[in-house]
């Protein structure tokens, strides 16, 4: 075989020029310049100025294996070789770690506690299925733990969220964090356990009537103690009942204590003692009387057994009673803590006057109305009074009267419940009406045996005196 050698000359840019002469190629570092710099017959392979890369078999942009260099990196390659599983595209540095037994983020830790789907487990010392404390996360549940927290007593298996609750045993069995003595969760504990709520299964009822420190004499005891014909009644703050009356010859009143002790209070001949009221703190009582021409008010001092002939005025007769001896003076009096004895018709019929309980001076505050029969004081000691079937309030400072209620019959007697503020009234159609202080509609509350005057005892009873029968009835006021 004839070997023909050709001769080439190298130019400065190293491009061979055919000169017909046989020359040698001078090897140099391979560069990315489309020239076979190292004279191995391959252009731009493993160039010294090339780019290093690693094969990315799972195409997750992270490579592995040995470094390679090229002028142009091939498709499906990566500049790094930190992929710990180049056959799984979900495994690469920075990947989200999940509980799958795989080191998803290539940090050398399999299923760490901060894995995305790691669960929080709580110590379950009493093994009731509910744990306590803040808990810790893990891909696998440790022994004696629960994935449900909130156990408020991890030493008692009967205490856990949602457990049956036994109220008033001092244990928050269901871990609700509520007061075990407040079953209706209205914020007020049961009255049987130090609170004021006597209806602890109704959240609308927060407070109930407080238990009184005295007990009034019963209606039966008041009736059996009366001396003859009773005309009015009142209670003092010790629950004693005061009853005025009429008796042939000399008139008497009496005071009946809660223990049944009765004290007779002697009046004057034919005084026809009608209305009676008790001062809110002194223990004195005032009685209206009408000895035909000797109309006035008498005082019973605390501890006294006689009625004084204290002050005189023109007391209008009551107009709503069928029997004449009930028509001698108005149906009611009221005595406030400032010293006013509120007397209907003390000057003229249709008037309401304040009689000073020291000087006896009378001042008219209401004039020009029809006959005023009943008067009572509300919780702020403002007078309320009746004219026929209508009930008015009086603003003493301004003198303004306001119609508050129209009853189903002529009003004979008024009484305020000092605890609730509700107004109770008796009418000549033998009904007791209740007018709630909260503005809800009034209603017929009870019916009476006869036309009655009423009083409210400190322990929460309405007591009615049916005048024409001389009988007493009583009803417990609502507890809330």
């Amino acid at each position: 075989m004839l070997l023909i050698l050709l001769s080439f000359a190298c130019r400065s840019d190293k491009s061979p020029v055919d000169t017909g002469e046989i020359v040698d190629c001078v090897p140099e570092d391979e560069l990315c310049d489309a020239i076979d710099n190292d004279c191995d017959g391959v252009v731009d392979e493993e160039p010294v100025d090339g780019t290093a890369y690693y094969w990315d078999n799972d195409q997750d942009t992270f490579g592995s294996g040995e470094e390679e260099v090229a002028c142009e990196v091939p498709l499906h390659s990566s500049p790094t070789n930190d992929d710990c599983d180049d056959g799984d595209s979900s495994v690469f540095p920075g990947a989200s770690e999940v509980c799958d037994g795989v080191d998803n983020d290539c940090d050398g830790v399999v299923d760490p506690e901060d894995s995305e789907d790691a669960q929080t487990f709580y110590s379950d010392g009493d093994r009731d299925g509910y744990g306590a404390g803040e808990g810790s996360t893990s891909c696998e549940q440790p022994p004696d733990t629960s994935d449900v927290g909130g156990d408020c007593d991890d030493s008692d298996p009967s205490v856990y969220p949602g457990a049956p609750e036994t109220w008033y045993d001092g244990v928050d069995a269901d871990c609700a964090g509520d007061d075990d003595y407040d079953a209706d969760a209205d914020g007020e504990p049961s009255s049987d356990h130090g609170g004021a709520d006597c209806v602890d299964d109704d959240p609308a009822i927060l407070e109930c009537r407080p238990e009184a420190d005295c007990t009034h004499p019963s209606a039966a005891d008041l009736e059996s103690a009366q001396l003859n014909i009773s005309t009015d009644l009142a209670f003092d703050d010790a629950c004693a009942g005061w009853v005025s009356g009429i008796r042939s010859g000399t008139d008497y009143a009496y005071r009946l204590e809660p223990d049944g002790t009765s004290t007779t209070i002697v009046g004057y001949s034919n005084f026809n003692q009608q209305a009676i009221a008790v001062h809110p703190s002194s223990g004195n009582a005032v009685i209206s009387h009408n000895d035909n021409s000797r109309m006035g008010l008498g005082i019973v001092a605390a501890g006294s057994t006689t009625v004084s002939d204290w002050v005189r005025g023109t007391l209008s007769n009551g107009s709503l009673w069928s029997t004449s001896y009930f028509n001698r003076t108005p149906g009611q009096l009221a005595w406030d803590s400032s010293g006013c004895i509120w007397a209907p018709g003390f000057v003229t019929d249709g008037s309401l006057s304040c009689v000073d309980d020291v000087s006896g001076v009378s001042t008219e505050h209401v004039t020009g109305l029809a006959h005023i029969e009943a008067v009572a004081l509300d919780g702020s000691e403002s007078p309320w009074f009746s004219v026929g079937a209508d009930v008015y309030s009086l603003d003493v400072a301004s003198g303004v009267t306001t119609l508050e209620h129209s009853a189903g019959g002529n009003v004979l007697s008024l009484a305020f419940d000092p605890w609730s503020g509700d107004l109770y009234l008796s009418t000549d159609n033998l009904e007791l009406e209740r007018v709630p202080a909260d503005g809800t509609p009034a209603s017929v509350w009870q019916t009476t045996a006869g036309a009655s005057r009423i009083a409210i005892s400190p322990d929460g009873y309405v007591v009615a005196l049916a005048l024409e029968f001389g009988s007493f009835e009583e009803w417990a006021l609502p507890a809330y």
Side-chain angles (χ1 to χ4, degrees):
M1 178 179 296
L2 180 62
L3 179 61
I4 301 175
L5 298 177
L6 299 178
S7 174
F8 293 90
C10 290
R11 299 182 309 185
S12 61
D13 60 1
K14 298 186 180 181
S15 299
V17 178
D18 187 1
T19 62
E21 298 180 0
I22 298 174
V23 298
D24 293 328
C25 180
V26 180
E28 297 182 8
D29 291 336
E30 190 70 37
L31 301 175
C32 293
D33 55 3
I35 297 174
D36 181 14
N37 305 92
D38 58 2
C39 305
D40 65 353
V42 180
V43 176
D44 291 351
E45 91 284 6
E46 297 184 3
V48 297
D49 59 349
T51 301
Y53 67 90
Y54 304 88
W55 288 111
D56 179 16
N57 294 316
D58 56 12
Q59 300 179 33
D60 59 5
T61 72
F62 294 87
S64 65
E66 298 294 330
E67 180 185 275
E68 299 193 34
V69 180
C71 292
E72 294 184 7
V73 297
L75 191 64
H76 307 320
S77 65
S78 170
T80 65
N81 70 337
D82 46 3
D83 194 337
C84 55
D85 186 348
D86 205 25
D88 187 341
S89 60
S90 67
V91 177
F92 53 84
S96 297
E97 192 70 58
V98 294
C99 296
D100 58 359
V102 175
D103 179 13
N104 306 94
D105 60 1
C106 298
D107 66 351
V109 181
V110 176
D111 295 346
E113 63 181 19
D114 61 351
S115 296
E116 282 190 348
D117 55 350
Q119 289 182 272
T120 301
F121 296 99
Y122 306 88
S123 174
D124 184 14
D126 54 14
R127 299 185 180 181
D128 57 6
Y130 295 84
E134 295 183 359
S136 59
T137 57
S138 175
C139 285
E140 293 187 6
Q141 183 172 354
D144 298 329
T145 62
S146 171
D147 60 356
V148 180
D151 195 337
C152 53
D153 186 349
D154 202 31
S155 64
D156 187 342
S158 68
V159 176
Y160 53 86
E165 183 64 81
T166 301
W167 292 103
Y168 316 121
D169 63 356
V171 177
D172 183 16
D174 61 359
C175 295
D178 45 18
D179 187 343
D180 196 56
Y181 301 104
D182 180 15
D184 57 11
D186 59 8
E188 182 61 45
S190 164
S191 57
D192 293 332
H193 299 279
D197 193 347
C198 64
V199 186
D200 203 30
D201 58 2
D202 187 345
I205 300 171
L206 292 176
E207 188 176 2
C208 302
R209 185 181 302 277
E211 186 173 342
D213 57 5
C214 62
T215 302
H216 77 288
S218 69
D221 289 341
L222 287 165
E223 186 170 324
S224 64
Q226 66 183 327
L227 301 172
N228 190 15
I229 300 170
S230 297
T231 56
D232 195 16
L233 74 159
F235 291 96
D236 62 25
D237 57 7
C239 292
W242 295 67
V243 181
S244 57
I246 299 172
R247 184 172 181 172
S248 178
T250 300
D251 293 314
Y252 295 89
Y254 67 93
R255 183 178 67 248
L256 186 62
E257 306 295 338
D259 64 2
T261 303
S262 181
T263 302
T264 300
I265 302 166
V266 181
Y268 296 91
S269 175
N270 296 319
F271 259 38
N272 298 322
Q273 297 173 159
Q274 292 287 312
I276 188 168
V278 179
H279 188 272
S281 60
S282 70
N284 297 341
V286 60
I287 300 177
S288 64
H289 60 74
N290 183 350
D291 182 16
N292 298 322
S293 62
R294 294 168 59 82
M295 300 175 185
L297 302 176
I299 296 292
V300 183
S304 174
T305 58
T306 60
V307 181
S308 68
D309 184 12
W310 172 57
V311 64
R312 298 193 173 282
T314 306
L315 280 165
S316 302
N317 292 345
S319 65
L320 303 176
W321 307 95
S322 60
T323 305
S324 63
Y325 48 69
F326 298 126
N327 289 338
R328 303 309 172 92
T329 62
Q332 280 186 298
L333 300 169
W335 199 348
D336 68 26
S337 59
S338 70
C340 259
I341 297 172
W342 292 94
F346 192 80
V347 178
T348 57
D349 194 15
S351 69
L352 180 65
S353 300
C354 164
V355 182
D356 184 273
D357 63 6
V358 176
S359 67
V361 174
S362 173
T363 303
E364 282 190 336
H365 287 267
V366 177
T367 58
L369 293 178
H371 176 78
I372 297 175
E373 184 73 25
V375 62
L377 303 176
D378 65 16
S380 62
E381 294 196 310
S382 294
W384 291 45
F385 60 92
S386 67
V387 178
D390 294 330
V391 178
Y392 296 85
S393 65
L394 167 65
D395 184 314
V396 177
S398 66
V400 174
T401 59
T402 303
L403 177 62
E404 300 286 356
H405 175 66
S406 293
N410 290 320
V411 178
L412 307 179
S413 189
L414 300 171
F416 280 95
D417 178 357
W419 180 75
S420 68
D422 296 344
L423 172 66
Y424 291 81
L425 56 89
S426 63
T427 65
D428 61 0
N429 58 5
L430 312 188
E431 292 178 338
L432 294 184
E433 293 187 20
R434 177 189 179 196
V435 183
D438 62 8
T440 54
S443 61
V444 174
W445 186 63
Q446 302 288 344
T447 57
T448 59
S452 300
R453 287 174 178 158
I454 61 174
I456 291 180
S457 64
D459 57 344
Y461 283 79
V462 173
V463 180
L465 164 60
L467 303 181
E468 294 162 8
F469 297 99
S471 62
F472 291 78
E473 299 174 275
E474 65 181 10
W475 301 269
L477 289 168
Y480 50 86

